[in-house]
Amino acid sequence: MAERSVHVFDRTIRRAAAAVAATSLLAGCGLFSDDDAEAGQRITVGTTSEPSTLDPAASWDNSWEMFRNVFQTLVSFPTGSSYPQPDAARKCQFTDAANQVFRCVLRDGLTFSDGDPLDAAAVKHSFDRIRKINVPGGPAGLLESLRTVETSGDDTVVFRLRKPDATFPFILATPAMSLVPPASYPPDRLRRDGGITGSGPYVLDSYTSGDRAELTRNKDYRGFAEHRNDAVTIQYFENSDTVFRALRKKEIDAIYRGLTSEQVVALEHKGPETKDLQLVETVGADIRYLVFNPADPAAGKLAVRQAVAQIVDRDALVAKVYRGTAEPLYSMVPKGIFAHTTGFFDRYGDPDVNEARAILERAGITGPVPLTFWYTTDRYGSGTAAEFAELKRQLEASGLFRITLRSKPWKQFQAGYQKGEYPVFGRGWFPDFPDPDNFIAPFVGTNNALSTPYESPEITQKLLPRSRRVSDRAAVNAEFERAQEIFVDDVRLLPLWQGRLYVASTDDIGGGERALDPQTVMQMWELNRKASW
């Protein structure tokens, strides 16, 4: 029987890892060595991205930023890695040649922050409750290939899969698969008391929705993270202006998520108000896209979606709104991820109003088509409003559409699209793991991340299963290129742009260049305050 540990598994995907390694390469200024770190300090990080939930069983969104810092997963992505490494587990491995049996052995003596043991039973409980609760749009969709979770003694867990899935170690590394103690997290419902009990690098001391989370170093933590501070305050802001103002006044130490393009440019040019600040940039794999609801009378028509795709001018959108901090995207699989294509450009070329009109006329559609576009006001920063205003301008300038814009804060916005209330809505996607599977699979099937069923049998029954049999991820280009062709045919999703990610901070903060993992999740333990220059 073939037995391949995570480390051996890594070697089979090194070609794919090389293709995505650029997403971890950072450029910046004002960076310091670890030797200068000042111990015993609290770092305050501002963001416009607040958790939608504190329970991992409910989250397939940016709540992961909190989870990565207070929970553990069996395997994880340490800084600079592009493939899973042991975290709560001391080793994990496929134990068969078919990629259907995955076995993990836990580290010795792990405990949760309440003192309960983190043993094999707790691991099984954590996975079983995700699938049993099955929150709409939640992480159960990531476990579609999982059949059973079994335990052997107190330290061994065996995952048996319904079908081969070479991406399963990557899935285990997502914060959605955070490990929780059975006594605090019911098996059949979400935890609702506003608390978190984990085994990660930090303990959550307090959380006030709309305000802040207070984290302190978990002295009993045993994993890969190395603390460079003793405590972190995460402060939540409603918009980019207020969080940036707080940084300029040095009321906070750093910003992650929420900077506008104008603020990035100001930081790059070191004006009077930003001369004491620094910026670290990573070439991100985060994307923005539109989602069309097939149940809507207008958005449900293929010709309407094709006409929108024919009109949208990504170059103008990026130039006017994002000023060089993003680039046009013509596929749901972004640059930097292997198997990336430019399918929407290949099909539609440059924006063409006459061709869009012909598409509608061939379908018997006359007169301006009314559509309502929804977006969130606070999840992706204040630039989102300007982005949707530009989309409205472009579509209405064609004379073919009449666009109404609507918006809500993230939690209300999320509740609305999960109920299927929006004809067209904007979403962002930050990678669960660096593989094209993660830019295709989450959006198809009945139980997908958008709560908007997208039946595509060729993708779900042929292409994805075939690709998941192959451990050498660089050998499955053809399957993912075909999946992207289907996305172009259906226009259920319309990719718009691919962004860069930034960490801004005062110039006495170090570690920003190490703080973003391959899932673009902030690893707070990397940040530190410098004692000397």
Side-chain angles (χ1 to χ4, degrees), residues 457-479:
E458 184 177 354
I459 294 177
T460 59
Q461 298 175 23
K462 295 181 180 179
L463 299 176
L464 289 176
R466 192 158 69 222
S467 72
R468 288 171 176 174
R469 296 189 190 101
V470 182
S471 293
D472 184 353
R473 304 304 293 156
V476 292
N477 276 38
E479 286 80 2

Side-chain angles (χ1 to χ4, degrees), residues 6-24:
V6 166
H7 301 290
V8 177
F9 175 82
D10 294 339
R11 290 197 294 271
T12 68
I13 61 169
R14 286 197 184 278
R15 279 189 287 160
V20 301
T23 65
S24 296

Side-chain angles (χ1 to χ4, degrees), residues 410-528:
W410 173 254
K411 290 183 181 180
Q412 295 95 313
F413 173 81
Q414 183 184 45
Y417 78 69
Q418 288 179 345
K419 295 175 183 176
E421 294 177 352
Y422 306 150
V424 185
F425 58 97
R427 280 296 312 270
W429 187 253
F430 303 94
D432 302 330
F433 50 86
D435 189 281
D437 186 288
N438 193 235
F439 294 89
I440 301 293
F443 307 119
V444 293
T446 56
N447 186 26
N448 64 41
L450 302 171
S451 301
T452 306
Y454 180 6
E455 299 296 339
S456 181
E458 184 177 354
I459 294 177
T460 59
Q461 298 175 23
K462 295 181 180 179
L463 299 176
L464 289 176
R466 192 158 69 222
S467 72
R468 288 171 176 174
R469 296 189 190 101
V470 182
S471 293
D472 184 353
R473 304 304 293 156
V476 292
N477 276 38
E479 286 80 2
F480 289 113
E481 289 172 357
R482 173 56 187 152
Q484 290 170 85
E485 288 179 3
I486 294 171
F487 276 8
V488 174
D489 291 342
D490 296 341
V491 202
R492 287 287 305 277
L493 307 163
L494 185 65
L496 296 174
W497 55 269
Q498 173 178 352
R500 299 181 177 94
L501 296 176
Y502 300 90
V503 176
S505 69
T506 56
D507 56 12
D508 63 336
I509 296 297
E513 74 280 11
R514 295 183 302 271
L516 300 180
D517 73 3
Q519 298 160 307
T520 67
V521 173
M522 177 71 98
Q523 301 181 140
M524 300 291 182
W525 58 85
E526 296 285 2
L527 299 176
N528 57 79

Side-chain angles (χ1 to χ4, degrees), residues 1-4 93-103 158 160:
M1 178 180 293
E3 187 165 315
R4 305 188 303 284
Q93 59 200 26
F94 277 113
T95 61
D96 66 332
N99 295 331
Q100 283 188 259
V101 182
F102 197 73
R103 177 177 176 268
V158 178
R160 298 190 184 276

Side-chain angles (χ1 to χ4, degrees), residues 22 71 74 126 129 144 164 175 177 189 199 260 287 300 354 363:
F71 293 107
L74 289 167
S126 300
R129 71 186 295 269
E144 184 265 342
M177 303 302 133
R189 65 184 186 279
S199 60
T260 65
I287 65 174
N354 291 330

Side-chain angles (χ1 to χ4, degrees), residues 48 50-53 61 63 207 209-210 238 374-380 406-422 425-427 450-451:
T48 60
E50 184 178 1
S52 62
T53 176
D61 61 23
S63 302
Y207 171 77
S209 179
E238 290 186 0
W374 282 85
Y375 64 92
T376 176
T377 57
D378 55 355
R379 172 62 63 170
Y380 309 121
R406 294 283 185 268
S407 62
K408 289 182 179 180
W410 173 254
K411 290 183 181 180
Q412 295 95 313
F413 173 81
Q414 183 184 45
Y417 78 69
Q418 288 179 345
K419 295 175 183 176
E421 294 177 352
Y422 306 150
F425 58 97
R427 280 296 312 270
L450 302 171
S451 301

Side-chain angles (χ1 to χ4, degrees), residues 229-451:
N229 60 66
D230 283 342
V232 173
T233 296
I234 307 173
Q235 191 167 341
Y236 302 111
F237 292 83
E238 290 186 0
N239 59 64
S240 300
D241 289 340
T242 55
V243 69
F244 191 53
R245 188 181 308 117
L247 182 66
R248 292 203 318 267
K249 292 181 177 180
K250 299 192 176 180
E251 296 169 350
I252 60 176
D253 300 308
I255 296 175
Y256 177 52
R257 297 210 194 279
L259 290 171
T260 65
S261 56
E262 291 81 6
Q263 291 162 356
V264 170
V265 170
L267 287 163
E268 289 175 335
H269 286 89
K270 290 284 187 180
E273 294 185 335
T274 60
K275 61 184 178 61
D276 295 329
L277 305 178
Q278 60 180 329
L279 185 71
V280 174
E281 173 187 332
T282 174
V283 180
D286 63 309
I287 65 174
R288 298 293 188 276
Y289 56 96
L290 294 178
V291 182
F292 294 92
N293 187 343
D296 181 74
K301 296 178 180 178
L302 177 59
V304 169
R305 304 195 298 270
Q306 290 174 327
V308 172
Q310 187 65 71
I311 292 171
V312 167
D313 187 338
R314 295 168 177 81
D315 287 325
L317 178 68
V318 167
K320 290 182 178 181
V321 179
Y322 293 105
R323 300 179 60 184
T325 62
E327 58 183 305
L329 181 65
Y330 297 94
S331 168
M332 291 297 287
V333 177
K335 290 182 179 179
I337 302 294
F338 76 92
H340 163 75
T341 70
T342 55
F344 276 90
F345 183 82
D346 299 340
R347 177 72 58 87
Y348 294 99
D350 293 324
D352 189 329
V353 172
N354 291 330
E355 180 57 32
R357 182 179 292 109
I359 290 171
L360 293 173
E361 289 176 351
R362 286 194 294 269
I365 300 172
T366 59
V369 178
L371 284 173
T372 300
F373 281 29
W374 282 85
Y375 64 92
T376 176
T377 57
D378 55 355
R379 172 62 63 170
Y380 309 121
S382 302
T384 308
E387 174 182 337
F388 275 77
E390 172 62 14
L391 290 171
K392 173 182 169 73
R393 185 198 67 77
Q394 292 180 11
L395 291 167
E396 291 190 338
S398 72
L400 301 176
F401 290 93
R402 188 171 66 252
I403 306 299
T404 300
L405 298 182
R406 294 283 185 268
S407 62
K408 289 182 179 180
W410 173 254
K411 290 183 181 180
Q412 295 95 313
F413 173 81
Q414 183 184 45
Y417 78 69
Q418 288 179 345
K419 295 175 183 176
E421 294 177 352
Y422 306 150
V424 185
F425 58 97
R427 280 296 312 270
W429 187 253
F430 303 94
D432 302 330
F433 50 86
D435 189 281
D437 186 288
N438 193 235
F439 294 89
I440 301 293
F443 307 119
V444 293
T446 56
N447 186 26
N448 64 41
L450 302 171
S451 301

